[in-house]
Amino acid sequence: MAYSLHVAHLYGDLLNTYGDIGNILVMKYYAKKINVNLTSELVSLGQPFEPQKYDFAFFGGGQDYEQMIVSKDIQAKKDDLISFIEDGGPVLAICGGYQLLGEYYIGADGQRINGIHALDHHTESQDNNRFIGDITIHNEQLDETYIGFENHNGMTYLGKGEQPLGKVVFGHGNNGSDRSEGAIYKNTYCSYFHGPILARNHNLAKHLLLIALKRKFPDVDFTIPADID
Ligand code: GLN
């Protein structure tokens, strides 16, 4: 294969709710269809995140307990993750991973779980409630509809420079009140959608793959034919 992409799977051994790793498998599937070799590597506790080694980073969701462990470890990777994100490195972060890219998450027991504040959102806790169920959103800019399944205690409020991934059509989304779901900042995409999100939303999978390819190979005109599904 002429081209290759290397993905960092952040804390995939701790945060992998509802098979979030499927997102990497879907990207690998579409990459192969257009003759691109996509490989991935677990980056977990005590391991450095070296921004120049990766073309994409994926960060899944999980329980508060695992998030607390990750919260402590990820502070050592904070500067490198921020420089990757600021440099336009593409990232997909789901649920717990999404919360940890923000400033903080107040867990279900009221404990503060610090994020890395790479993105400006913060996440509060609900009183004895979780947002659970199917969800549909619409992204106006791309005119695309995404479907998924959400299960979270956290209520996320977006901050400076962030756009929602979409507007809630059905379900709860970021916080159950402002009809936003997920976040986009530069090439970092965040969402509460499990499913995994890319297995259920091929248009988004193709979109992210093309972002990574165009960033790494700016002179090559990649397209993913519409009949590839
Ligand atoms: N533990 C977090 C919450 O309950 C994230 C959940 C998840 O990743 N599904 O909000």
Side-chain angles (χ1 to χ4, degrees):
M1 291 189 187
Y3 301 100
S4 62
L5 290 175
H6 195 45
V7 177
H9 188 182
L10 297 169
Y11 304 99
D13 49 350
L14 291 164
L15 300 177
N16 186 33
T17 295
Y18 303 121
D20 286 333
I21 193 174
N23 290 306
I24 297 176
L25 301 181
V26 172
M27 287 187 70
K28 196 177 170 76
Y29 169 85
Y30 284 114
K32 196 171 167 194
K33 292 277 185 190
I34 55 167
N35 220 22
V36 172
N37 184 35
L38 186 142
T39 52
S40 66
E41 178 184 341
L42 179 67
V43 179
S44 191
L45 301 179
Q47 297 168 327
F49 173 82
E50 295 168 59
Q52 67 287 355
K53 256 176 85 175
Y54 305 106
D55 310 305
F56 193 91
F58 174 68
F59 199 2
Q63 281 68 249
D64 291 6
Y65 180 77
E66 281 82 3
Q67 277 181 257
M68 248 172 336
I69 296 169
V70 172
S71 160
K72 293 190 184 108
D73 185 86
I74 201 172
Q75 303 308 326
K77 301 178 180 54
K78 173 178 171 164
D79 292 349
D80 285 327
L81 282 166
I82 289 177
S83 83
F84 185 76
I85 287 170
E86 286 299 315
D87 191 44
V91 178
L92 174 64
I94 302 299
C95 208
Y98 169 25
Q99 295 168 349
L100 285 165
L101 290 187
E103 187 182 2
Y104 62 82
Y105 161 49
I106 305 297
D109 293 337
Q111 71 281 35
R112 182 182 164 113
I113 302 174
N114 285 324
I116 58 168
H117 209 166
L119 276 65
D120 198 34
H121 55 268
H122 64 276
T123 304
E124 305 293 346
S125 184
Q126 302 183 56
D127 282 339
N128 293 318
N129 189 45
R130 296 184 70 80
F131 292 142
I132 305 174
D134 290 321
I135 172 163
T136 304
I137 62 171
H138 186 253
N139 178 309
E140 275 160 27
Q141 213 179 346
L142 298 169
D143 192 22
E144 291 184 343
T145 295
Y146 306 131
I147 57 165
F149 179 81
E150 57 180 335
N151 181 356
H152 53 112
N153 158 60
M155 298 182 292
T156 297
Y157 298 91
L158 298 183
K160 260 201 321 277
E162 294 181 290
Q163 299 298 322
L165 176 63
K167 194 171 165 192
V168 175
V169 177
F170 175 83
H172 302 284
N174 279 337
N175 50 52
S177 54
D178 67 12
R179 304 199 69 75
S180 69
E181 200 296 312
I184 302 175
Y185 172 74
K186 296 196 170 192
N187 285 329
T188 293
Y189 285 63
C190 301
S191 174
Y192 271 109
F193 285 24
H194 296 288
I197 186 171
L198 299 186
R200 298 185 74 183
N201 301 281
H202 296 175
N203 40 11
L204 187 58
K206 293 174 183 175
H207 182 70
L208 293 177
L209 187 59
L210 287 176
I211 288 176
L213 285 168
K214 284 177 182 160
R215 176 169 178 265
K216 185 168 185 189
F217 308 105
D219 299 333
V220 183
D221 189 21
F222 289 100
T223 49
I224 305 179
D227 60 339
I228 290 185
D229 210 17

